[in-house]
C-alpha cells in the first residue's frame, strides 16, 4: 500500500515538474522572441530606407 502511494506521489511530482519546465520554457521563449522581432523589424525598415 505504501509503495503504491509513493509511486503515485512520484508520478504527480514528475508531471508537475514537466509542466513547470514547459511554462518556464515558454516564458523564456517569449522574453527572447520580442527583441528578435524588433531586430527584424529594424532590419526591414532599414532595408526599405536604403532601397527608397
Amino acid at each position: 500500500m505504501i509503495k503504491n502511494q509513493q509511486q503515485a506521489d512520484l508520478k504527480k511530482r514528475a508531471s508537475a515538474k514537466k509542466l513547470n519546465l514547459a511554462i518556464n520554457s515558454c516564458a523564456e521563449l517569449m522574453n527572447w522572441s520580442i527583441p528578435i522581432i524588433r531586430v527584424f523589424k529594424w532590419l526591414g525598415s532599414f532595408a526599405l530606407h536604403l532601397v527608397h
Side-chain angles (χ1 to χ4, degrees):
M1 180 72 185
I2 292 174
K3 272 196 169 187
N4 288 342
Q5 185 64 37
Q6 284 177 343
Q7 283 180 338
D9 256 3
L10 284 175
K11 285 181 182 178
K12 282 182 186 177
R13 268 193 240 152
S15 64
K17 280 186 179 180
K18 285 179 187 175
L19 180 65
N20 202 10
L21 180 66
I23 291 171
N24 287 342
S25 299
C26 187
E28 283 293 319
L29 185 64
M30 293 297 277
N31 285 340
W32 281 102
S33 65
I34 292 169
I36 289 171
I37 290 170
R38 284 185 181 159
V39 166
F40 279 116
K41 281 172 64 177
W42 180 82
L43 282 174
S45 64
F46 185 67
L48 280 175
H49 178 72
L50 287 178
V51 168
H52 194 69

